[in-house]
Amino acid sequence: MKNKVARSLLSVFLVLGILFTTTSRIKAQDKLEVKTTFYPVYFLAQQIAGDLANVSMLLDANQDPHNYEISASDVADVQKADLFIYQDDEMEFFVQDLLGVVNPETTYVLEATADLSLLAGAAEDEDDHDHDHDHSHAYDPHTWLDPSFYAQQAENVLNAFVSLDEANAEVYQQNYQALIDELNALNEEYKAALENRSDRRFVVQHAAFGYIAHAYDLEQVSIAGLSTSQEPSAKEIATMQDFVIKNNVEIIYVDPSSNSAIAETVAQANNAELRPLRTLESVSSDELAQGVDYFDVMRDNLIELSR
Ligand SMILES: [Zn+2]
C-alpha cells in the first residue's frame, strides 16, 4: 500500500515534471528564432518580425559576405533557428555548405531573392580568366540597393513569417506595410534627387551599385568586380586610370569598410576625390547600437550620389 502511494506520487511528479518541461519549452519558443546572414536580410527580418522574433546575423560587421567561410558554431546556430534567411545563391556562397546540414523540417530556409528577376552580372567577367575566382556571377546579387527590388524581397520575408506563425499574420502584415511605405518614399527621393544629375556616370571601387544605376538611369563604372574577391589586374588599373583622366572623373566612391588602396591609385591619376558610398554589406555594431539603419545609410548614399 505504501509502495503504491509512493509509486503514484512518483508518477504524479513525473507527469508534473513532463508538463513543466513542456511548458517551459513552449515559453522559450514564444519568439521565433531567426538567423540571417548579413545586414540587408537582417534588416528585412527585423522590420517585419518586430517584437515577435529574435533576429540575429551570422556575420560580424567586419566580415565580407562574398568570401565568408562557415564555422561549426554557425552550423549549430542555423540548425537551432526556426527560420534562416540569406540573400542570394550568388551572394553568400558559403550558404551552399550550410544547406547540406540543415534539416528543412525544423529550419525554414529562405533565399530572399527567390522569384525576383535579377540583373545580369558584369560583362567584364568574360575576359578575366587569369583571376582566381571560382564563383559564377551570371547575376548581380546586390538587389537591396534598389528600394523597389528590396520591397519585393520584403514580400518573400513576410510570406515566410506568415507561414511559420499564422496566428500573428496581421502583425507581420502591418509591419511589412510600414516598411513598404518607407521604401516607396525612399524611391521617390532617389528619383527626384538623381533625375537632374548632369553626369550620368559614377565611378565606384566595388561593382555593388548596379541596381541603383539601373533604377535611376545612371551608369556604374567599376574598378573591381561584382565580388570583392575579384582584384583588378595591372592592365585593368591602367585602363581605369586612362578612363578617369579622359572623362575628368572627380569622384571615386569607395565603401569605408573596404580596402581603398586600388581606388586611391586610380584616383591619383586625375586627382579625384575618394568619397564614401556604402554597399550596406556591413553595418558596424556601434551603428546598430546607435539605431543607424538601412534608410539612414541609403539617404547618406543619396547625398553622396547627388554631388
Ligand atoms: Zn558585394
Side-chain angles (χ1 to χ4, degrees), residues 227-258:
S227 169
T228 44
S229 61
Q230 290 170 254
E231 294 252 308
S233 63
K235 193 180 139 217
E236 286 166 326
I237 293 173
T239 307
M240 280 305 297
Q241 287 175 323
D242 288 346
F243 179 89
V244 298
I245 294 168
K246 221 184 259 168
N247 294 283
N248 191 25
V249 171
E250 287 170 350
I251 294 176
I252 293 179
Y253 293 107
V254 178
D255 188 292
S257 72
S258 64

Side-chain angles (χ1 to χ4, degrees), residues 3 21 33 66 68 82 85 114 148 158 164 172 187 221 241 244 250 257 262 287 299:
N3 261 348
T21 347
E33 286 298 324
H66 290 287
Y68 184 71
D82 302 300
I85 309 176
S148 308
L158 168 70
L164 277 174
Y172 296 124
N187 184 32
V221 179
Q241 287 175 323
V244 298
E250 287 170 350
S257 72
I262 292 166
E287 287 177 304
R299 290 189 170 109

Side-chain angles (χ1 to χ4, degrees), residues 3 30 39 43 96 111 147 170 174 190 200 246 289 299:
N3 261 348
D30 254 348
Y39 187 76
F43 183 68
Q96 292 314 310
E111 184 189 23
E170 211 169 303
Q174 281 165 3
Y190 261 74
R200 305 311 290 173
K246 221 184 259 168
R299 290 189 170 109

Side-chain angles (χ1 to χ4, degrees), residues 66 91 142 144 206 208 226-228 279 281:
H66 290 287
M91 181 74 214
H142 303 87
W144 63 88
H206 167 37
L226 268 181
S227 169
T228 44
T279 63
E281 283 169 10

Side-chain angles (χ1 to χ4, degrees), residues 29-40:
Q29 282 188 345
D30 254 348
K31 284 193 175 195
L32 288 174
E33 286 298 324
V34 181
K35 212 35 146 176
T36 61
T37 47
F38 71 131
Y39 187 76

Side-chain angles (χ1 to χ4, degrees), residues 13 15-16 25 131 191 253 279:
F13 282 130
V15 169
L16 278 178
R25 199 182 304 143
H131 289 189
K191 261 192 209 161
Y253 293 107
T279 63

Side-chain angles (χ1 to χ4, degrees), residues 144-156:
W144 63 88
L145 290 159
D146 174 351
S148 308
F149 268 87
Y150 201 44
Q152 295 176 54
Q153 296 182 250
E155 193 180 345
N156 285 338

